[in-house]
Amino acid sequence: MQAFLNQLPVGLSIAAVLLLIALGLTFTFGQMGVINMAHGEFIMAGAYTAYLLQAVVGTAAVPVALPVAFLVAGAMGWLLERLAIRRFYGRPLDTLLLTWGVSLVLQQLARDLFGAPNVQVVAPGWLSGGLPLFGTQIPYARLFILALAVGCVLAIWAYLARSSQGRRMQAVMQNRRLAAIGGINTGRVDQLTFFIGSGLAGIAGVALTLIGPVGPALGTYYIVDAFLVVVCGGLGRLGGAVLAAFGLGLLSSYAEFWTNASLAKVIVFAVIIAFLQIRPQGLFVLRSRALT
Amino acid sequence: MTVTLKTVPERPVRRPAAPARLAAAACSGPGLFAVVALLLLVVAPLGLEPFRLNLLAKYLCYAIVALGIGLAWGRGGMLTLGQGVFFGIGGYSMGMYLKLNDAGGDLPDFMVWSGVEELPALWAPFRSPVFALAAAVVLPVAIATVLGLLVFRRRVRGAYFAILTQALAAALVILLVGQQGLTGGTNGLTNFYELFGLDLAADATQRVLYFAVAITLGLLFLLAWQLASSRFGRLLVAVRDAEDRVRFLGYDPAVVKTITFAVAAGMAGIAGALFVPVVGIISPALLGVVPSLELVVAVAVGGRYALGGAVLGAVLMNWAKTAFSEEFAGGWLYLQGALFILVMTLVPGGVAGLLAAARDALARLRRRARAGWAAREAKEAA
């Protein structure tokens, strides 16, 4: 029982990181059908933003970097959408290869700009230490990430459900053509969607600086798992992403605990395949009469 | 009163143009096949020094994997990002046999270093070369069949399928790295000395291996070609373009897709088994997410709609990788990235698509010239 409790914060923080990354993907992959392999590099860009800000603001880098990284990564995403991706709608599989090319270039760019060795972002003092709970200690940094993830989910939910822009976004996702006929400028909505989705990757990047060093390949460690979260949650479904992130995060941390790290991945994969037998389109499916 | 409805025009969904599909015709002519066979079987072995010939053999191994990708993705629309998994299974099967053969009755060297005391049960059957070779093909086919049936029956497709295969590649790498005593961990299996009594370091052996690889590629190409031009091949293209319509006609798309996926996996397995004696190593770094994706991109660059394009792309990209990495290591990544971006944006049909477009343009010019001549002659006659 104690072992089970000890493992809980680890699982929760894996889940929170996955959720932060998957949130951005829910926007770009879920709403627009674009498989953005460069999402991982936007995460990296967010992390390096925190690293650069550290030189200016010192240990306050993490909180200051959150909005800045959102803008930096968002701008990169927006640029990518404008320059390349908008030519690819209707060819989702091609965007995967295109954005992988982009991700290669960005990784090498980071290697040339910041050097191949990892760099460290120092967490603010108030994030050191931990909260004693059930006989174990939960690091404040992990709690901060969890709170950040929850905050992002609430903000996105409010945006999508309450603001007119958010509702337009949902309309385009549900039926692009009908939304266009209804007078929505789908091109502009796409730009905004990509900006927000990529910006969330930047926030995730800042959060990652709290749990580990920053390197040019930072994003690649998380991107595959984050895509799996979106697949299990259902395309473009916020609630699905939340449930799937916590499900996968807890599953992988417990599988790792009971077997070992190398078998855990295989177990998670098998569980996902089994899960897709029951719900092939993820937890929450957008019901429509369309055939595909 | 009349009401005018104003609509924002929707961006047309761009599909690969007809020239791209014609590329298939351009690159699968029997004449072209004969020319390439002559180049590979006569010119290359005579003209290339042993080191370069060995490199070419390596590229041709990748070309075999690419052929499978061309079939599954170009023809079947299944973007498989996990061919490295099947390549790896083939490679490790072969590697296990070679390791056991080199060790004689003892344990393979790396097991001794990892403190393994007796041969794991998983390894025991790989003493037999027949078993190892069979496993290199049968295991990938079996895994692909099971995975394909599970996934395609539930109509998981498109991006979902791509992501699942990528996750499989990622999981396999972590598994291989983690099981140090069983798989050699990050280093993989290496230091092989002999194959069927032949010294692997000898130039003559490598030459024999080169011919084996080239001939295997040729045979598999003919098989893929046959498959693609048969009734099954047409069904496959139909599934790619309109899966639901095929289902309404009474076919089961899941079966068609699973068979194709299994064939592609078998090809990757064969390629892996050939790769190991040629290159002398199989390790997790050779079969993870990145190498799998690199091959898909090579197929895209070569031309995914033509089987020949897939082969061409694999050889071309791997040759370019070697050539540029020798010169400047970092530059290759920029170049590779830029190349994908350009190819995907400007020429989705790849090199084969360009060739086909050029051929069409030439034919059009010739027709126009002929029409012009005819008109002039008619005028002169009048």
Side-chain angles (χ1 to χ4, degrees):
Chain A
M1 192 58 204
Q2 189 59 46
F4 178 84
L5 284 177
N6 280 338
Q7 201 59 20
L8 195 63
V10 179
L12 284 180
S13 76
I14 296 178
V17 169
L18 276 183
L19 179 56
L20 272 176
I21 299 169
L23 275 180
L25 286 177
T26 324
F27 270 78
T28 53
F29 177 43
Q31 306 221 2
M32 291 160 71
V34 168
I35 309 173
N36 184 13
M37 294 295 283
H39 197 77
E41 277 56 51
F42 295 157
I43 297 172
M44 171 200 67
Y48 274 112
T49 306
Y51 170 70
L52 288 180
L53 280 174
Q54 187 172 239
V56 187
V57 296
T59 54
V62 171
V64 173
L66 284 174
V68 181
F70 180 80
L71 292 178
V72 168
M76 287 169 71
W78 176 79
L79 210 63
L80 180 67
E81 201 275 343
R82 280 286 85 191
L83 292 180
I85 287 177
R86 71 194 173 100
R87 301 169 206 278
F88 280 78
Y89 287 124
R91 292 199 278 149
L93 297 184
D94 287 6
T95 58
L96 193 153
L97 299 180
L98 170 88
T99 51
W100 193 54
V102 174
S103 109
L104 276 185
V105 172
L106 288 178
Q107 267 183 46
Q108 188 56 33
L109 203 64
R111 221 165 273 138
D112 287 347
L113 286 177
F114 305 104
N118 288 339
V119 297
Q120 201 79 42
V121 177
V122 181
W126 46 271
L127 279 181
S128 58
L131 184 72
L133 201 71
F134 303 123
T136 102
Q137 209 187 30
I138 307 176
Y140 285 127
R142 304 252 176 198
L143 279 178
F144 178 76
I145 294 175
L146 197 59
L148 192 65
V150 172
C152 284
V153 169
L154 289 178
I156 290 167
W157 174 79
Y159 177 77
L160 283 178
R162 291 280 175 265
S163 78
S164 60
Q165 271 180 346
R167 274 184 279 198
R168 256 179 252 146
M169 211 172 266
Q170 282 190 305
V172 173
M173 176 196 68
Q174 290 174 12
N175 192 328
R176 177 171 284 267
R177 210 168 279 183
L178 194 59
I181 292 170
I184 295 174
N185 185 339
T186 57
R188 191 168 300 164
V189 170
D190 286 344
Q191 287 177 43
L192 196 64
T193 308
F194 226 86
F195 177 78
I196 296 178
S198 307
L200 285 169
I203 290 186
V206 177
L208 282 180
T209 62
L210 290 173
I211 42 182
V214 179
L218 178 71
T220 53
Y221 300 124
Y222 296 94
I223 196 73
V224 177
D225 285 349
F227 269 120
L228 286 178
V229 167
V230 181
V231 166
C232 290
L235 278 185
R237 309 301 282 172
L238 197 58
V242 174
L243 275 181
F246 280 97
L248 280 182
L250 290 175
L251 175 70
S252 57
S253 94
Y254 280 107
E256 217 164 285
F257 179 66
W258 278 314
T259 60
N260 54 52
S262 69
L263 270 179
K265 285 280 172 197
V266 180
I267 293 173
V268 170
F269 183 78
V271 170
I272 288 172
I273 295 286
F275 170 75
L276 289 179
Q277 298 301 303
I278 311 164
R279 300 198 73 94
Q281 294 180 305
L283 276 169
F284 294 108
V285 185
L286 190 66
R287 302 247 171 251
S288 83
R289 292 184 177 206
L291 188 57
T292 43
Chain B
M1 193 180 98
T2 53
V3 180
T4 45
L5 282 174
K6 204 174 158 196
T7 60
V8 179
E10 175 65 12
R11 285 196 196 96
V13 177
R14 282 202 205 164
R15 307 215 34 215
R21 291 196 200 134
L22 281 173
C27 282
S28 20
L32 200 61
F33 183 80
V35 171
V36 174
L38 192 74
L39 276 176
L40 288 182
L41 292 179
V42 180
V43 179
L46 286 178
L48 290 176
E49 49 187 306
F51 172 68
R52 297 281 157 195
L53 195 68
N54 179 251
L55 277 181
L56 185 60
K58 177 175 141 184
Y59 305 155
L60 293 183
C61 287
Y62 283 129
I64 297 176
V65 188
L67 189 62
I69 297 175
L71 205 59
W73 180 39
R75 294 303 168 113
M78 289 168 276
L79 181 53
T80 155
L81 301 179
Q83 289 309 93
V85 170
F86 307 120
F87 181 79
I89 292 171
Y92 272 90
S93 299
M94 192 67 180
M96 282 155 86
Y97 162 68
L98 290 177
K99 268 291 172 220
L100 287 174
N101 189 39
D102 283 345
D106 300 334
L107 278 182
D109 47 10
F110 74 89
M111 283 191 185
V112 179
W113 304 331
S114 321
V116 177
E117 310 248 304
E118 79 186 271
L119 195 69
L122 178 67
W123 275 67
F126 286 90
R127 281 187 202 286
S128 147
V130 179
F131 182 88
L133 283 177
V137 187
V138 173
L139 273 180
V141 169
I143 291 174
T145 307
V146 171
L147 187 67
L149 282 178
L150 283 175
V151 167
F152 296 135
R153 275 209 181 282
R154 297 302 293 163
R155 301 183 196 175
V156 173
R157 56 189 157 196
Y160 274 40
F161 176 71
I163 288 166
L164 285 179
T165 52
Q166 184 166 53
L168 184 64
L172 181 72
V173 166
I174 292 172
L175 184 68
L176 287 174
V177 171
Q179 308 293 320
Q180 176 86 29
L182 203 60
T183 62
T186 324
N187 300 328
L189 304 179
T190 185
N191 296 331
F192 308 116
Y193 300 105
E194 68 168 48
L195 172 71
F196 306 134
L198 297 170
D199 178 14
L200 275 174
D203 284 349
T205 311
Q206 285 301 330
R207 186 170 287 263
V208 171
L209 278 172
Y210 169 80
F211 278 108
V213 174
I215 290 170
T216 310
L217 174 63
L219 290 177
L220 288 176
F221 185 84
L222 289 177
L223 174 78
W225 189 359
Q226 174 59 32
L227 203 61
S229 51
S230 68
R231 216 174 113 78
F232 179 85
R234 267 178 280 164
L235 201 56
L236 183 62
V237 173
V239 168
R240 176 192 74 189
D241 291 342
E243 186 169 335
D244 289 306
R245 290 188 203 177
V246 173
R247 183 176 294 116
F248 295 157
L249 287 172
Y251 295 101
D252 187 354
V255 172
V256 177
K257 288 169 106 174
T258 304
I259 292 174
T260 314
F261 186 43
V263 169
M267 288 184 178
I270 293 173
L274 289 168
F275 181 88
V276 167
V278 168
V279 181
I281 184 172
I282 185 80
S283 72
L286 289 167
L287 47 94
V289 170
V290 173
S292 303
L293 245 168
E294 271 180 349
L295 272 172
V296 171
V297 168
V299 171
V301 170
R304 72 186 95 152
Y305 300 107
L307 294 174
V311 171
L312 177 74
V315 174
L316 221 66
M317 287 299 278
N318 282 295
W319 168 77
K321 186 178 179 175
T322 315
F324 280 91
S325 305
E326 275 172 11
E327 297 289 320
F328 19 71
W332 166 241
L333 283 167
Y334 283 123
L335 190 80
Q336 198 187 16
L339 197 63
F340 300 168
I341 298 170
L342 286 179
V343 167
M344 296 317 292
T345 325
L346 302 177
V347 273
V351 177
L354 274 185
L355 289 179
R359 199 193 48 177
D360 289 352
L362 213 66
R364 219 175 301 129
L365 275 180
R366 212 177 289 157
R367 249 200 323 272
R368 205 169 294 160
R370 216 175 288 149
W373 277 112
R376 206 170 301 163
E377 274 171 16
K379 204 180 273 173
E380 279 168 13

